[in-house]
Amino acid sequence: MRILVIKPSSLGDIIHGLQVVAIIKRHLPDVTIDWVVRDCWEDVIRASKLVNKIFLFYRHGGIRKFFKLIHNIRRQKYDAVLDMQGLARTGVLTYLSRAARKIGRWDAREFSRLAYNEIIERPQGKHAIDILLQFLPKLGIPANFEACLTFQLPSSSIAKLSKCISPRYVLLFPESRRVEKQWPYFVQFAEKFASKYEAMQFIIVGQTAIDVQFKSANILNLTGRTSMMDVLRLIQNCSLLVANDSAPIHIGAAMGKPIIAFFGPTDPSKFGPYPVSASDHVIVKCDNLPGLIVDEAWDVVSSKIDKFLHDD
């Protein structure tokens, strides 16, 4: 069987899709899976080692590159296309493919449902992964969650920084794509955390450099200094991940890492680390994140931290 997965973005959604693909590969070991993904996430798909061929979607590439993508997909022979995105552009790609089975989401938007000849069932759960799991029965696989991801990363990943990194560390991500999803006291929280666990290293990572002189010597500020592959390696090797509502919590959950996640206005039952009810997932929910002070957050998570770090 040969399958095309269409899931161009975003990073957290791609991780969810990879978890479902891992289940497909486990049940159908001879399946060939190709993937349509945004060019900026190509390395993530490649490092999963779950996908045979990658087709790049250029969000700002114009109509010419979009037509070229359509042409390349139409040259292939697929048994099924799984449109995991459910938007107009992915519906067009699905419709114009030569696959006999064109399978899409029940909640597809922008008229993309018109492109499908099969629709997945509405799930009982409301998490993003619950929705994607419904593609499995269409392939004769039970819609049961059983996936844990690993990534085969290049040996050069984070090599320049490895001398600074301890064997055991807590990884913190203070960023998120939207301001209202960012807890503004991550620096202060890191200081409090680091002062109570002086034997543990604390690494802060983000795309934007944070120009702060940390008081604690066991805090390593790598903001603005890491690539996507560096981030995957750091998550893969950490003892505990602390982050806002953002892609790293989904990467960490997929790798089976203990997670402390801060959520503002978004619903963690839909977008939290999966499974949200897992004993090693702690969610701090506050609709108004600026109103959540460090001591209150610490009271919520401190009882779990000892277990996370001692079980590592």
Side-chain angles (χ1 to χ4, degrees):
M1 177 182 286
R2 192 174 182 198
I3 295 172
L4 176 66
V5 172
I6 303 180
K7 189 69 168 169
S9 61
S10 61
L11 179 55
D13 292 335
I14 289 168
I15 296 299
H16 295 158
L18 284 172
Q19 290 175 272
V20 173
V21 165
I23 298 172
I24 294 172
K25 297 278 281 191
R26 191 171 295 126
H27 285 262
L28 305 174
D30 295 327
V31 71
T32 296
I33 296 181
D34 297 345
W35 194 300
V36 176
V37 70
R38 278 191 62 188
D39 55 312
C40 56
W41 308 127
E42 176 186 6
D43 289 345
V44 176
I45 298 291
R46 200 172 300 283
S48 75
K49 300 301 180 182
L50 293 169
V51 174
N52 297 79
K53 185 178 181 63
I54 298 173
F55 295 98
L56 297 183
F57 174 83
Y58 295 90
R59 186 173 181 179
H60 303 292
I63 196 68
R64 180 175 296 181
K65 285 195 174 181
F66 189 66
F67 281 160
K68 183 177 180 180
L69 174 59
I70 292 171
H71 173 73
N72 289 336
I73 290 173
R74 286 176 60 81
R75 292 176 61 187
Q76 315 300 317
K77 293 182 179 179
Y78 292 109
D79 297 289
V81 173
L82 313 183
D83 183 0
M84 294 186 176
Q85 195 90 9
L87 295 176
R89 60 181 180 270
T90 58
V92 169
L93 295 175
T94 303
Y95 181 77
L96 293 177
S97 72
R98 297 185 185 275
R101 302 182 67 194
K102 300 172 181 180
I103 308 171
R105 298 169 61 120
W106 67 271
D107 59 346
R109 296 176 288 161
E110 300 176 354
F111 301 102
S112 56
R113 283 186 64 144
L114 298 175
Y116 315 139
N117 53 27
E118 296 182 51
I119 303 290
I120 64 172
E121 297 293 327
R122 182 171 184 165
Q124 292 184 346
K126 57 182 180 179
H127 194 280
I129 287 184
D130 292 324
I131 295 172
L132 297 187
L133 287 173
Q134 297 307 309
F135 281 93
L136 297 176
K138 293 293 184 179
L139 304 175
I141 302 169
N144 299 325
F145 181 76
E146 55 185 61
C148 187
L149 291 182
T150 58
F151 293 90
Q152 296 183 30
L153 303 169
S155 58
S156 60
S157 176
I158 215 165
K160 294 180 181 179
L161 303 172
S162 59
K163 293 181 180 180
C164 307
I165 297 174
S166 300
R168 297 179 70 243
Y169 57 86
V170 174
L171 191 62
L172 300 99
F173 287 85
E175 294 179 338
S176 188
R177 288 199 305 168
R178 302 204 315 261
V179 174
E180 65 270 22
K181 295 164 65 175
Q182 292 185 11
W183 186 41
Y185 306 119
F186 245 92
V187 169
Q188 295 90 328
F189 183 80
E191 289 280 19
K192 186 179 184 72
F193 202 163
S195 68
K196 292 183 177 294
Y197 292 85
E198 295 181 349
M200 179 71 66
Q201 186 179 42
F202 293 79
I203 301 177
I204 301 181
V205 176
Q207 289 183 328
T208 304
I210 298 176
D211 187 15
V212 173
Q213 187 66 41
F214 289 96
K215 298 176 183 177
S216 303
N218 55 334
I219 294 179
L220 177 61
N221 182 4
L222 295 184
T223 56
R225 299 171 58 189
T226 52
S227 68
M228 188 66 243
M229 293 299 99
D230 294 335
V231 168
L232 289 179
R233 186 176 292 278
L234 284 167
I235 295 175
Q236 194 158 269
N237 296 330
C238 75
S239 299
L240 170 64
L241 174 67
V242 184
N244 287 309
D245 171 16
S246 57
I249 65 171
H250 303 299
I251 299 171
M255 293 180 178
K257 296 295 178 179
I259 293 168
I260 296 173
F262 292 89
F263 270 75
T266 50
D267 184 356
S269 66
K270 293 182 179 180
F271 306 109
Y274 193 88
V276 177
S277 60
S279 60
D280 56 354
H281 295 166
V282 177
I283 295 172
V284 183
K285 178 74 169 75
C286 182
D287 292 338
N288 178 30
L289 281 176
L292 177 66
I293 64 174
V294 172
D295 288 344
E296 289 177 345
W298 185 259
D299 288 343
V300 174
V301 304
S302 58
S303 62
K304 288 279 190 176
I305 289 174
D306 271 339
K307 179 181 185 302
F308 291 160
L309 298 184
H310 290 160
D311 287 352
D312 178 55

